[in-house]
């Protein structure tokens, strides 16, 4: 009998999802496109970059075909590789598949939400996204935390939440798939900006300014793409951003700190994600001033200058 | 010979149909609060029919009042009996009485009659030559996925979903089906059309079922939806206009009604549940494209007026004047291919395209079994929230097909060009103020018009090559000047006023901006480039 659940992508986050599911006695298949990684994982059971050990319920499989035998599939691959993985998975996809991606970002270049990429490449309609303030090193040590599954389909959100829920992880549902995806995408400019502010030695008031105005930008973007403004005030938005803004070890925050020092951000994926958001904002004729300011810094504008630009914008109303 | 498919495939026992519909509606609603539902029905119908003198309506109202008088002390079982009584009345009213013989006669005679009208045949010629050779084929051109349609009627149930512009649509669709040897389809027709006994006889026997749009309460709508689902499960191919009513503005409809559309998915699931041999349900989007629309003047007025929102059934348009209809049809006959009917690519109830074998296709053209969208481990899972999303997706796909398969004529492009130029006269004005501009602001040089026409044509041809719109033959090859001449002539032919007039001095007057707007709106929702700057032509 095939397992009910699979995870495509065995990076730290994908492996953690498989670990969470397996720890609660549910069979799950884990697949990586990297053969060396698969072999090592099968041998050591220890995903690189994590302190966890995969239990007996996690089966590391060699082929994507074996992974796609499951009905519920989590996809944890970076946005830049997402479409190519979908192209490989598409011929194996069945109408009954439920696909949940875990990516906090939009497709580079097209600016499309990754659920849109799924529907463009495959026959799968029942899609969703897992998002929220899930911090790997905190979940590995057993802290209580929460997440949200966004899907237009109530049954998909319920099913995905059911395989993840544990005494340490509370999972909520949202029917606003677009809103949850947008909230996840806006984490990157927020994280970069938070790193910059920290490096500049600015205090809590500036961070509050950053959080609330990023919220306004995310709400605008969500509405423009057909989502709800309110969704970004939930776990996938403000919940996740609060964690990010405070986590000085987060790679995206560290990249922001390097930028504030005038160094290269050394996080090309974060830079690409911001660039994608700005292109999308251009197409949608949205201002998104904070996102654009972060984009300017990535292009070489000094942080002080970008901040001064933000502060000197003409007065406007909050809503 | 009527093709033995769909409703023509079997002998229909009317009592069985009415009883089945009644049983299904009552069973489905039995978990609801029946007394509240019945009370609401009586209340709304009483309000609607207050003061009626019509004996039939009075008897109907008396029946409802009698039902209400029993509600207070009724047990659940009593309530079901009362509900059955009301639902049975509606089911009997809705159900049509298709008759293959009547259909065969009508399809043999009516196209000849219409052709006669279109050809302006002299009676003496008819007597000497008979009706042989009379054909509508050169006036109503049908194309598209006709062969696929033809195959699908044998593989499952087909739901034809056309655009709706004119009261001529139903006979035009009927002709297109007959012309291509496609089977008869049942369709919902306004009950007001059944008041004429002759028309009523034919409609009742040609596959029409009655829809009373005045009955706005939920119970009646449930009966209608159940009838549609039941018909689809019995493989009676069906037709309905998803726009609900004729497009008032002339725009291609993109906001579609989903009530009846959803019955396709419900029927598919019931077919799977029951293990029926041909469970598949296919939706075929169809565009009916007219060079000119008889009712254009009334429809556009209605669209612009505030009351357009409430006047659902127009009873006093150009179609209420038989002389106007005959005159219109005759003038249309003078023009080749004045109506083009396009059968779009079929879709499954989830909005996926379907190939000629009836298989659903994914975005890369790979075929697959769509039953997994509603089944888990071979069992159909009921989920109304999920089904609403699927039906929304289908509605989106039909709307996209309408845009892609919209066939544009010279009248549409020329009217759009005139309106683009009008919008440049006073750029800040909204549409309503623009329509009130005086004649001095509505005169344009022929040279400028041709330049703008050429500009728009180029963009349309690029869109045509990309497969996002269709152009008629004249637009495919004609020059701006050819198209201008043709459009001005045609726009001045059938309406009470000419929309545009060539003043003969190198200028063109946009005489009736509202009427022109109706035709211009056909190009709304397409990404046309900004107009050329005024005065840019030497």
């Amino acid at each position: 009998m095939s397992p009910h659940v699979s995870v495509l992508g065995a990076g730290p986050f994908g492996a953690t999802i498989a670990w969470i599911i397996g720890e609660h006695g549910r069979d799950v298949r884990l697949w990586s496109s990297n053969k060396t990684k698969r072999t090592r994982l099968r041998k050591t059971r220890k995903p690189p970059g994590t302190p966890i050990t995969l239990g007996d319920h996690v089966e590391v499989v060699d082929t994507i075909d074996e992974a796609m035998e499951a009905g519920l599939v989590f996809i944890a691959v970076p946005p830049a590789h997402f479409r190519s993985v979908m192209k490989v998975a598409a011929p194996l996809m069945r109408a009954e598949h439920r696909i949940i991606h875990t990516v906090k970002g939009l497709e580079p270049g097209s600016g499309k939400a990754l659920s849109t990429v799924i529907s463009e490449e495959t026959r799968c309609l029942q899609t969703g996204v897992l998002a929220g303030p899930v911090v790997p090193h905190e979940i590995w040590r057993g802290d209580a935390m929460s997440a949200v599954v966004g899907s237009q389909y109530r049954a998909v959100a319920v099913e995905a939440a059911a395989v993840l829920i544990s005494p340490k992880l509370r999972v909520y549902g949202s029917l606003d798939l677009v809103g949850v995806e947008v909230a996840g995408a806006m984490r990157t400019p927020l994280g970069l900006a938070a790193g910059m502010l920290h490096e500049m030695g600015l205090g809590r008031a500036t961070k509050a300014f950053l959080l609330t105005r990023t919220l306004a930008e995310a709400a605008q973007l969500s509405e423009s793409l057909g989502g709800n403004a309110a969704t970004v005030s939930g776990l996938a938005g403000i919940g996740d951003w609060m964690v990010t803004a405070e986590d000085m070890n987060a790679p995206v925050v560290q990249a922001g700190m390097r930028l504030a020092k005038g160094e290269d951000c050394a996080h090309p994926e974060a830079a690409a994600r911001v660039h994608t958001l700005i292109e999308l904002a251009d197409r949608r004729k949205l201002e998104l001033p904070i996102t654009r300011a972060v984009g300017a810094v990535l292009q070489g504008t000094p942080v002080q200058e970008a901040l001064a630009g933000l502060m000197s914008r003409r007065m406007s109303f909050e809503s | 010979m009527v093709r033995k498919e769909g409703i023509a495939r079997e002998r229909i026992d009317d009592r069985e149909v009415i009883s089945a519909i009644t049983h299904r509606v009552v069973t489905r609603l039995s978990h609801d609060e029946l007394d509240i539902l019945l009370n609401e029905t009586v209340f709304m119908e009483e309000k609607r029919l207050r003061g009626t003198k019509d004996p039939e309506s009075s008897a109907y109202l008396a029946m409802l009042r009698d039902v209400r008088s029993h509600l207070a002390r009724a047990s659940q079982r009593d309530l079901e009996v009362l509900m059955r009584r009301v639902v049975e009345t509606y089911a009997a009213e809705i159900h049509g009485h298709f008759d293959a013989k009547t259909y065969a006669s009508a399809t043999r005679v009516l196209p000849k009659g219409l052709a006669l009208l279109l050809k302006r045949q002299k009676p003496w010629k008819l007597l000497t030559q008979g009706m042989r050779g009379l054909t509508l084929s050169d006036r109503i051109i049908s194309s598209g996925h006709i062969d696929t349609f033809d195959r699908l009627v044998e593989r499952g149930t087909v739901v034809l979903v056309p655009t709706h512009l004119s009261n001529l649509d139903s006979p035009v669709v009927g002709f297109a089906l007959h012309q291509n040897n496609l089977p008869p389809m049942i369709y919902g027709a306004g009950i007001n059309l059944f008041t004429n006994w002759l028309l009523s006889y034919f409609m009742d026997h040609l596959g029409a079922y009655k829809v009373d749009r005045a009955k706005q309460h939920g119970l009646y709508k449930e009966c209608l939806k159940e009838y549609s689902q039941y018909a689809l499960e019995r493989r009676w191919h069906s037709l309905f206009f998803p726009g609900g009513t004729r497009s008032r503005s002339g725009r291609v409809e993109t906001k579609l009604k989903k009530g009846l559309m959803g019955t396709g998915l419900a029927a598919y699931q019931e077919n799977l549940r029951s293990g029926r041999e041909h469970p598949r349900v296919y939706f075929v989007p169809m565009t009916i494209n007219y060079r000119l629309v008889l009712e254009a003047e009334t429809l556009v007025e209605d669209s612009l007026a505030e009351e357009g929102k409430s006047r659902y059934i127009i009873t006093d348009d150009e179609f209420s004047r038989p002389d106007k209809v005959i005159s219109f049809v005759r003038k249309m006959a003078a023009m080749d291919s004045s109506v083009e009917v396009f059968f779009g690519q079929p879709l499954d109830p989830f909005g996926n395209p379907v190939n000629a074998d009836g298989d659903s296709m994914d975005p890369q053209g790979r075929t697959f079994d769509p039953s997994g969208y509603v089944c888990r481990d071979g069992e159909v899972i009921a989920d109304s929230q999920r089904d609403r999303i699927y039906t929304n997706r289908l509605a989106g796909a039909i709307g996209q097909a309408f845009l892609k398969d919209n066939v544009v004529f010279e009248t549409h492009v020329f009217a759009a060009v005139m309106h683009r130029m009008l919008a440049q006269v006073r750029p800040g004005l909204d549409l309503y103020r623009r329509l009130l501009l005086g004649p001095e602001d509505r005169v344009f040089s022929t040279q400028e018009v041709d330049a703008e026409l050429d500009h728009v044509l180029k963009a349309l041809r690029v869109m045509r090559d990309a497969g996002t719109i269709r152009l008629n033959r004249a637009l495919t090859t004609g020059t701006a000047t050819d198209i201008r001449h043709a459009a001005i002539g045609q726009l001045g032919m059938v309406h009470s006023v000419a929309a545009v007039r060539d003043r003969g001095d190198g200028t063109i007057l946009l005489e009736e901006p509202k009427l022109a707007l109706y035709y211009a709106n056909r190009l709304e929702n397409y990404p046309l480039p900004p107009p050329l700057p005024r005065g840019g032509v030497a």
Side-chain angles (χ1 to χ4, degrees):
Chain A
M1 176 107 176
S2 303
H4 174 59
V5 195
S6 282
V7 179
L8 303 188
F13 198 70
T16 300
I17 292 171
W19 173 72
I20 292 169
I21 298 168
E23 284 301 281
H24 297 284
R26 300 172 187 113
D27 288 339
V28 54
R29 284 181 177 174
L30 177 63
W31 175 79
S32 164
S33 59
N34 183 320
K35 191 181 173 190
T36 315
K37 190 185 267 184
R38 286 198 305 265
T39 311
R40 199 167 55 201
L41 256 183
R42 198 176 292 113
K43 199 170 163 189
T44 65
R45 310 292 293 170
K46 291 185 183 302
T50 77
I52 55 177
T53 304
L54 299 175
D56 294 341
H57 288 284
V58 181
E59 182 189 2
V60 180
V61 292
D62 270 329
T63 64
I64 193 169
D65 302 50
E66 292 168 274
M68 293 306 291
E69 282 173 12
L72 178 65
V73 181
F74 288 86
I75 303 193
V77 297
H81 301 133
F82 197 87
R83 192 178 284 272
S84 59
V85 171
M86 283 301 96
K87 282 183 192 293
V88 175
L92 307 166
M93 210 74 95
R94 302 182 301 278
E96 63 263 36
H97 267 119
R98 284 86 62 205
I99 304 289
I100 311 291
H101 77 81
T102 66
V103 184
K104 291 174 182 171
L106 306 172
E107 185 183 42
S110 74
K112 288 176 179 169
L114 296 180
S115 59
T116 306
V117 176
I118 298 173
S119 61
E120 283 180 352
E121 294 295 336
T122 79
R123 64 200 56 159
C124 178
L125 298 182
Q126 301 180 81
T127 57
V129 55
L130 173 66
V134 176
V135 182
H137 64 263
E138 290 177 13
I139 204 161
W140 296 330
R141 72 179 181 217
D143 288 9
M145 58 186 64
S146 60
V148 58
V149 175
S151 175
Q152 283 185 290
Y153 301 87
R154 184 179 293 275
V156 172
V158 168
E159 185 187 12
V163 301
L164 293 166
I165 281 174
S166 73
K168 298 289 185 187
L169 180 63
R170 180 162 171 73
V171 183
Y172 290 82
S174 166
L175 295 178
D176 182 14
L177 172 63
V178 172
V180 173
E181 287 187 305
V182 165
M186 290 298 287
R187 175 183 178 270
T188 303
L190 176 117
L192 288 167
M196 295 176 204
L197 299 185
H198 180 79
E199 187 60 32
M200 292 165 78
L202 296 169
R204 287 176 295 175
T206 319
K207 278 190 184 157
F209 168 40
L210 169 68
L211 276 171
T212 47
R213 293 318 296 168
T214 301
L215 193 65
E217 291 186 16
Q220 268 183 39
L221 184 58
S222 174
E223 279 196 325
S224 149
L225 296 171
N228 296 327
T231 304
V232 298
S233 304
L235 287 168
I238 196 84
D240 195 17
W241 307 340
M242 282 169 70
V243 172
T244 306
E246 290 300 320
D247 184 1
M248 294 307 125
N249 293 317
V252 68
V253 176
Q254 296 222 330
M257 290 160 71
R258 281 192 293 276
L259 284 167
K261 286 189 250 180
E263 298 169 6
D264 185 84
C265 86
H267 194 330
E269 199 177 299
R273 288 181 187 195
V274 173
H275 186 62
T276 298
L277 277 167
I278 292 171
E279 282 181 339
L280 181 61
D282 287 343
R283 286 199 293 275
R284 295 269 157 184
K285 297 186 170 50
L286 297 173
E287 282 196 89
L288 308 195
I290 293 174
T291 308
R292 288 181 191 278
V294 170
V297 174
L298 284 164
Q299 298 292 318
T301 303
V303 178
Q304 288 81 357
E305 196 180 308
L307 183 60
L310 275 177
M311 299 307 288
S312 60
R313 292 176 75 240
R314 69 173 181 194
M315 182 267 172
S316 63
F317 287 85
E318 268 202 300
S319 54
Chain B
M1 210 31 204
V2 181
R3 189 162 165 194
K4 295 281 181 197
E5 275 299 337
I7 197 166
R9 195 164 38 85
E10 56 182 339
R11 181 177 288 277
I12 293 154
D13 178 343
D14 294 339
R15 276 179 310 179
E16 182 202 335
V17 174
I18 293 163
S19 162
I21 303 295
T22 307
H23 175 72
R24 291 165 64 132
V25 173
V26 174
T27 306
R28 187 146 51 83
L29 298 176
S30 62
H31 300 297
D32 295 355
E33 295 182 17
L34 295 184
D35 51 342
I36 294 176
L37 199 55
L38 284 167
N39 249 321
E40 182 195 87
T41 303
V42 181
F43 173 76
M44 288 188 69
E45 289 299 81
E46 251 189 343
K47 201 170 147 194
R48 179 172 72 88
L49 295 169
R50 188 171 293 144
T52 183
K53 294 204 166 45
D54 170 47
E56 220 171 288
S57 299
S58 300
Y60 162 63
L61 209 49
M63 183 274 288
L64 288 180
R65 284 174 176 151
D66 185 54
V67 165
R68 186 175 52 193
S69 70
H70 292 89
L71 288 179
R73 53 185 183 282
S75 65
Q76 179 66 20
R77 194 177 154 73
D78 295 337
L79 286 171
E80 286 181 19
V81 171
L82 292 169
M83 177 61 88
R84 191 163 290 123
R85 194 173 155 198
V86 178
V87 171
E88 199 169 54
T89 308
Y90 293 150
E93 179 187 284
I94 292 166
H95 178 51
H97 305 88
F98 178 80
D99 181 84
K101 282 183 188 161
T102 311
Y103 184 86
S105 313
T107 48
R108 210 168 40 241
V109 173
L110 289 180
K112 302 278 186 193
L114 196 50
L116 185 69
L117 195 65
L118 289 171
K119 290 270 184 181
R120 295 197 247 189
Q121 195 87 340
K122 296 272 189 298
W124 62 267
K125 223 174 173 183
L126 183 69
L127 287 172
T128 55
Q129 295 179 355
M131 285 163 68
R132 274 170 304 165
L134 288 176
T135 172
L136 282 175
S137 301
D138 53 348
R139 296 295 179 264
I140 300 175
I141 310 288
S142 47
S143 59
H145 298 254
I146 298 168
D147 291 344
T148 304
F149 189 128
D150 186 70
R151 295 178 71 175
L152 295 187
V153 294
E154 290 171 5
R155 284 168 159 73
T157 313
V158 173
V159 185
L160 185 62
V161 278
T163 51
H164 196 10
L165 280 173
S166 166
N167 280 337
L168 274 180
D169 288 346
S170 296
V172 165
V173 175
F175 174 77
L177 292 173
H178 172 71
Q179 183 186 39
N180 294 291
N181 191 31
L182 295 167
M185 312 201 90
I186 65 162
Y187 61 99
I191 203 163
N192 49 317
L193 298 174
F194 286 79
T195 44
N196 174 308
W197 70 268
L198 184 63
L199 196 59
S200 172
Y201 175 82
F202 274 105
M203 293 193 40
D204 206 23
H205 290 74
L206 291 175
Y209 60 89
K210 299 180 203 76
V211 178
D212 187 350
R213 288 177 183 146
K215 289 193 179 87
Q216 287 288 313
H217 55 86
L219 183 56
Y220 180 73
K221 289 179 182 169
E222 284 299 323
C223 294
L224 264 183
K225 281 201 264 183
E226 196 63 61
Y227 185 80
S228 173
Q229 182 182 332
Y230 174 83
L232 295 175
E233 286 174 31
R234 284 192 69 164
R235 291 193 60 212
W236 298 349
H237 308 303
S238 300
L239 176 154
F240 66 84
F241 294 104
T245 178
R246 287 172 293 173
S247 168
R248 297 298 197 256
S249 62
R251 287 190 192 98
V252 178
E253 304 110 303
T254 47
K255 282 185 186 158
L256 306 176
K257 292 191 177 290
K258 297 167 194 114
L260 285 182
M261 210 182 278
T263 62
L265 179 55
Y268 174 55
Q269 291 182 74
E270 191 50 45
N271 288 346
L272 290 173
R273 213 175 267 128
S274 310
R276 295 197 175 105
E277 191 186 353
H278 296 288
R280 301 292 304 269
V281 176
Y282 305 106
F283 285 80
V284 178
M286 169 190 263
T287 58
I288 307 171
N289 307 280
Y290 296 92
R291 193 182 290 278
L292 296 164
V293 173
L294 172 62
E295 309 100 303
E297 287 166 273
T298 305
L299 292 175
V300 75
E301 284 287 352
D302 206 49
S303 149
L304 293 167
E306 193 58 35
E307 67 186 272
K309 290 171 188 162
S310 55
R311 280 218 307 173
Y312 196 74
I313 311 161
I314 299 179
T315 53
D316 54 352
D317 64 17
E318 293 83 344
F319 253 89
S320 61
R321 300 264 311 273
D323 56 327
K324 280 201 165 190
V325 177
I326 292 170
S327 159
F328 173 78
V329 172
R330 285 196 160 155
K331 284 172 180 168
M332 290 279 280
M335 298 174 240
D336 274 340
S337 61
S338 43
V339 185
E340 292 202 18
V341 174
F342 190 87
F343 289 78
Q345 165 135 42
L347 302 163
D348 67 16
F350 311 94
N352 298 302
V354 166
N355 69 12
D357 293 325
D359 296 322
S360 297
M361 294 188 292
D362 73 9
Q364 316 306 329
R366 287 176 289 245
T367 58
F368 70 100
D369 173 10
S371 64
Y373 289 137
V374 292
C375 293
R376 193 71 62 80
D377 300 323
E379 291 291 314
V380 176
I381 309 290
D383 184 343
S384 56
Q385 192 266 345
R386 172 201 67 195
D387 291 352
R388 274 197 299 279
I389 298 167
Y390 287 151
T391 302
N392 278 342
R393 189 171 188 268
L394 170 66
I398 293 172
Q400 285 303 309
F402 283 173
L403 285 171
K404 186 166 67 72
D405 297 337
N406 174 29
V407 182
V408 182
F409 287 84
E410 300 95 301
T411 44
H412 307 137
V413 182
F414 187 72
V417 163
M418 296 305 284
H419 263 280
R420 285 159 67 88
M421 297 184 74
L422 185 67
Q424 287 177 294
V425 172
R426 306 267 177 90
L429 294 186
D430 64 23
L431 173 67
Y432 291 88
R433 284 163 201 263
R434 211 182 302 146
L435 293 172
L436 294 173
L437 286 172
E440 66 283 2
D441 284 324
R442 291 189 263 116
V443 177
F444 307 98
S445 86
T446 308
Q447 210 178 1
E448 278 190 316
V449 169
D450 280 0
E452 181 63 24
L453 194 48
D454 193 51
H455 177 56
V456 172
L457 263 179
K458 278 181 184 148
L460 286 173
R461 285 171 182 165
V462 170
M463 284 157 58
R464 184 266 327 267
D465 292 344
T468 55
I469 201 166
R470 292 180 185 277
L471 306 180
N472 80 338
R473 200 172 41 197
L475 291 179
T476 304
T477 53
T479 64
T481 311
D482 299 337
I483 288 158
R484 168 169 53 82
H485 281 305
I488 291 176
Q490 290 160 13
L491 286 167
M493 273 179 85
V494 301
H495 298 299
S496 61
V497 286
V500 283
R501 188 156 55 85
D502 187 339
R503 303 205 307 176
D505 60 355
T507 62
I508 293 163
L509 171 66
L510 175 55
E511 193 137 34
E512 281 296 327
K514 285 184 195 168
L515 180 56
L517 180 69
Y518 177 86
Y519 291 103
N521 277 342
R522 211 65 193 155
L523 291 182
E524 274 275 311
N525 298 323
Y526 293 97
L528 290 175
L532 296 172
R534 288 294 308 277
V537 178

